[in-house]
Amino acid sequence: MELLWILIKIIIVFTVVMIHVMYATYFERKVIGHMQVRMGPMRVGWHGVLQPIADGIKAFFKEDIIPTAADKKVFYAAPLICLISALSAVAVIPFFETFAIANINIGLLYIFAMSSLASYGVVLAGWSSNSKYSFLGGLRSSAQVISYEIAMGLSLVGVMMLAGSLNLSDIVHAQMQSSYKIYLIPQIIGFFVFVVAMFAETNRTPFDLPEAESELVAGYCTEYSGMRFALFFMAEYIGMIVMSCLAVICFLGGWSGPFEVPGIPFFWFILKAYFFIFLYYWVRATLPRYRYDQLMALGWKVLIPLALFNILLTGTIKSLIG
Amino acid sequence: MVQLLFFYFALVVIGLGLRIVTCKNPVHSVLLMLLLFFHMAGLYLLLNAEFLAAVQVIVYAGAILVLYLFVLFLVNLREEIKMSPFVQKGKWAGLVAALALLITFLRGVFNFTLGPHGQYTIEKVQQITHTKAMGEAIYTTYILPFEIAGLILLVAVIGGLALAKKEDKGA
């Protein structure tokens, strides 16, 4: 019986996340379009609302091209590694009180583990394509993800110290009981580091060097086409959604809000998560791309020391206040 | 159920281990190693050591193995390098050495006796969570070994830096 309930939960969450991925692409084009005084997609359906479905059908029926010199097994596996690791991270996210597929004690570490796996998909895609653009894109991406993962992990240590737990639900409960209700205020440095690292982790602008069109064509997915390319695309958007949810859970109090909305327990969670997803688009429409050495310098010389300082500060204050 | 899972994980770990050393393509070896680390994490989970399982994946799979990949890419081994064995006339010597090693290990396995139980029983670990239990043990009882390990790692980091710097000057 319990197994059945878990299965139902998985199906619900999977469907909801996939629909969100579809429409995240649509809203990205719309938002950026309007920010650049364009209309965005308009042709398919009313104001282009059916565009994601059209895109999906197109990707599905496109010819699947595999380069002759590619390492076939790895070439097939790479997009799957990306997608599976991104999707498995969704399993531990508590969307509202008592609703998470798996409420495990090490939820936060589990998400780190899954996001560190995503870099394999990218670097192996780059290597197996046997193309210079792909290879450089893959190397850049994995170096970037590994560097920023450290900053991201350290930025969340402050949250762990305040909440005294790695369980995502417990972190939200601890925030509800704290004096500010959200960790954004006592952990403002950690939040800053986290948000910057969040953009770098998901390879989004201003840190989208792995797929910098002007230098690397499309980076690690240059040689991919059709459905396999779509898998990378999905993995990227699921990654964005997971990171947004993580930011909401760790810094903005998860599903809690100023007042309860009757009937929709996930109202505040979704609202906050949408804000972060919007932030991704906003930043993409606003900021230019970083140079690679600047990116590495920012990660190692600014964010990691800042995050370490934040840990020191949090520890000192916590031991002083008690 | 737990035993069945244990045998699954243990058998897969052994099988993958053999496959990794016999695999011709180093990148495939690394991929199989990734799978192996996941099964090791599964073994830790069976022991209620959830923190270790997560750290196993984050540190070994997420960081160390990626460095292996980088090294492989830097030397760019598309084809296997064929080398003559180091010891030309010693096929039998190798076999004897391997057998001796195996016997030593097996003796260790058969002479294994359980030590006295510590204060952390399964129930206690489940109650205070494994992360907390680990933290308490490391930062109270085992603080000195922990600090020494930290110091050794620091020495290694500084050593690596010094080596890299030297090469830079030469070039």
Side-chain angles (χ1 to χ4, degrees):
Chain A
M1 199 55 222
E2 204 178 334
L3 211 66
L4 195 72
W5 175 226
I6 291 175
L7 255 172
I8 293 169
K9 275 204 243 182
I10 290 174
I11 293 168
I12 293 172
V13 170
F14 180 76
T15 322
V16 170
V17 167
M18 277 319 192
I19 291 170
H20 271 82
V21 168
M22 276 170 71
Y23 278 92
T25 62
Y26 170 72
F27 277 106
E28 171 159 31
R29 294 165 73 178
K30 270 290 186 202
V31 167
I32 292 178
H34 281 278
M35 279 179 178
Q36 296 166 342
V37 207
R38 293 184 285 116
M39 296 299 279
M42 285 297 278
R43 300 281 167 150
V44 195
W46 180 79
H47 275 257
V49 278
L50 297 177
Q51 186 68 42
I53 297 168
D55 285 344
I57 294 170
K58 187 195 84 171
F60 193 77
F61 286 108
K62 236 178 161 178
E63 190 187 349
D64 182 25
I65 299 166
I66 297 155
T68 10
D71 186 320
K72 297 226 170 37
K73 278 183 215 155
V74 182
F75 192 80
Y76 291 148
L80 289 177
I81 295 175
C82 265
L83 185 68
I84 291 170
S85 60
L87 264 177
S88 348
V90 180
V92 293
I93 289 171
F95 293 99
F96 53 92
E97 186 84 60
T98 70
F99 189 93
I101 295 175
N103 185 11
I104 55 175
N105 286 330
I106 46 156
L108 209 48
L109 288 181
Y110 176 83
I111 289 188
F112 287 150
M114 288 303 135
S115 74
S116 69
L117 267 190
S119 69
Y120 277 98
V122 171
V123 77
L124 288 173
W127 176 79
S128 67
S129 302
N130 211 350
S131 138
K132 284 187 182 62
Y133 294 127
S134 300
F135 188 53
L136 281 175
L139 281 187
R140 270 190 185 186
S141 166
S142 52
Q144 171 182 335
V145 168
I146 293 169
S147 315
Y148 277 79
E149 217 171 56
I150 303 169
M152 173 176 266
L154 290 176
S155 72
L156 286 173
V157 170
V159 172
M160 296 174 201
M161 285 160 86
L162 286 185
S165 173
L166 292 171
N167 185 318
L168 293 175
S169 300
D170 287 354
I171 289 175
V172 174
H173 288 281
Q175 282 181 70
M176 287 173 177
Q177 282 152 14
S178 69
S179 46
Y180 293 107
K181 301 292 172 205
I182 49 176
Y183 281 163
L184 174 63
I185 300 157
Q187 284 295 321
I188 185 76
I189 305 173
F191 180 70
F192 170 74
V193 175
F194 179 84
V195 170
V196 177
M198 176 174 102
F199 284 103
E201 269 290 288
T202 42
N203 292 330
R204 297 284 302 187
T205 348
F207 307 117
D208 62 341
L209 300 129
E211 22 192 327
E213 300 88 6
S214 43
E215 351 172 343
L216 287 180
V217 190
Y220 56 87
C221 39
T222 305
E223 302 294 338
Y224 283 85
S225 63
M227 210 52 209
R228 284 179 213 288
F229 175 74
L231 290 181
F232 276 119
F233 213 66
M234 279 190 244
E236 186 182 323
Y237 279 85
I238 297 169
M240 279 166 59
I241 292 173
V242 169
M243 284 300 152
S244 302
C245 291
L246 196 61
V248 170
I249 290 165
C250 292
F251 294 101
L252 292 186
W255 59 82
S256 66
F259 55 89
E260 289 249 324
V261 181
I264 323 173
F266 46 82
F267 178 80
W268 293 109
F269 188 94
I270 293 259
L271 200 69
K272 292 170 194 169
Y274 284 171
F275 167 73
F276 277 103
I277 293 172
F278 176 74
L279 187 70
Y280 269 112
Y281 305 156
W282 192 7
V283 167
R284 185 178 165 188
T286 314
L287 293 180
R289 191 178 288 135
Y290 262 69
R291 219 172 55 209
Y292 194 68
D293 58 317
Q294 291 172 332
L295 167 95
M296 282 299 171
L298 179 73
W300 289 94
K301 292 182 192 162
V302 180
L303 292 184
I304 292 178
L306 252 182
L308 286 173
F309 171 71
N310 180 46
I311 295 172
L312 198 70
L313 198 70
T314 313
T316 318
I317 291 174
K318 205 187 170 191
S319 67
L320 284 179
I321 295 172
Chain B
M1 185 66 186
V2 172
Q3 278 214 319
L4 212 69
L5 276 175
F6 171 78
F7 279 117
Y8 163 73
F9 283 129
L11 281 178
V12 172
V13 164
I14 293 169
L16 280 175
L18 284 175
R19 192 78 192 86
I20 288 164
V21 285
T22 51
C23 195
K24 295 273 180 198
N25 187 328
V27 175
H28 289 181
S29 284
V30 167
L31 262 184
L32 292 173
M33 190 109 129
L34 182 66
L35 260 179
L36 179 112
F37 284 149
F38 266 87
H39 286 83
M40 298 261 283
L43 280 177
Y44 288 135
L45 276 185
L46 287 183
L47 293 169
N48 281 312
E50 59 213 16
F51 181 75
L52 261 187
V55 167
Q56 162 87 15
V57 174
I58 295 173
V59 174
Y60 278 89
I64 294 177
L65 209 57
V66 177
L67 289 183
Y68 279 29
L69 265 185
F70 268 55
V71 171
L72 281 179
F73 290 156
L74 285 180
V75 290
N76 198 11
L77 282 175
R78 279 274 170 195
E79 276 121 48
E80 194 195 9
I81 299 174
K82 291 228 166 65
M83 270 197 299
S84 50
F86 294 123
V87 187
Q88 287 291 350
K89 292 172 187 169
K91 245 184 189 170
W92 291 104
L95 206 64
V96 169
L99 264 176
L101 202 63
L102 182 70
I103 290 168
T104 321
F105 280 146
L106 281 180
R107 271 186 74 93
V109 168
F110 287 122
N111 289 339
F112 178 75
T113 44
L114 272 175
H117 286 285
Q119 52 161 323
Y120 290 106
T121 55
I122 294 173
E123 291 77 33
K124 195 178 172 193
V125 168
Q126 274 174 350
Q127 194 209 331
I128 62 171
T129 75
H130 181 249
T131 315
K132 237 177 201 156
M134 277 277 287
E136 268 168 19
I138 284 180
Y139 284 101
T140 52
T141 327
Y142 300 107
I143 182 73
L144 191 64
F146 182 69
E147 291 293 337
I148 292 172
L151 198 69
I152 292 171
L153 284 175
L154 185 69
V155 169
V157 169
I158 294 171
L161 267 178
L163 284 176
K165 270 262 151 48
K166 219 182 231 169
E167 218 160 272
D168 201 35
K169 253 182 219 161

